[in-house]
């Protein structure tokens, strides 16, 4: 079954207030449980702030900070399986509702097993 990356685009700045964050976390827990029960869940994870990033370049240079400066960053992600793009977009809509943030849904390329 095809796999999809669902990326959470999070604005830079402080997190929401405690009450809002608690509601979002509860909604995310329910979404993750629904993904697991459906058999679509592969992996999920939240990321630290972009200022914790380290960029490694092909020439061996290593720099601190995010690769690109911006007003938003990837705050977390899911890897899911879905029968088609429409099903993956349905999970993306649920993720957007749970996080209150934009979700990018992108298919993985098919890779031949080694």
């Amino acid at each position: 079954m095809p796999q999809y990356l669902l990326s959470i685009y999070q604005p830079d700045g402080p997190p929401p207030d405690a009450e809002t964050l608690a509601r979002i976390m509860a909604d995310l827990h329910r979404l993750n449980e629904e993904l697991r029960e459906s058999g679509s869940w592969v992996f999920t994870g939240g990321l630290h702030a972009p200022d914790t990033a380290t960029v490694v370049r092909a020439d061996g240079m290593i720099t601190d900070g995010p690769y690109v400066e911006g007003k938003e960053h990837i705050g977390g992600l899911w890897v899911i399986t879905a029968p088609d793009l429409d099903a993956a977009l349905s999970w993306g809509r649920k993720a957007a509702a749970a996080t209150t943030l934009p979700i990018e849904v992108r298919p993985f390329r098919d890779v031949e097993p080694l």
Side-chain angles (χ1 to χ4, degrees), residues 14-102:
D17 62 81
E19 183 178 322
T20 302
L21 188 58
R23 188 189 80 251
I24 290 169
M25 296 306 291
D27 289 347
L28 284 172
H29 178 74
R30 281 190 291 278
L31 174 61
N32 287 330
E33 287 301 311
E34 187 179 349
L35 278 162
R36 284 183 177 97
E37 289 170 5
S38 74
S40 294
W41 185 88
V42 175
F43 174 82
T44 191
L47 300 172
H48 286 281
D51 64 353
T52 65
T54 303
V55 178
V56 179
R57 300 185 187 278
D59 64 4
M61 180 182 280
I62 297 175
T63 57
D64 291 338
Y67 172 67
V68 176
E69 295 292 329
K71 296 182 190 239
E72 61 185 16
H73 59 277
I74 296 178
L77 58 94
W78 289 267
V79 176
I80 66 165
T81 59
D84 54 38
L85 180 59
D86 288 337
L89 291 173
S90 178
W91 287 116
R93 282 190 286 281
K94 291 179 181 189
T99 63
T100 71
L101 296 170

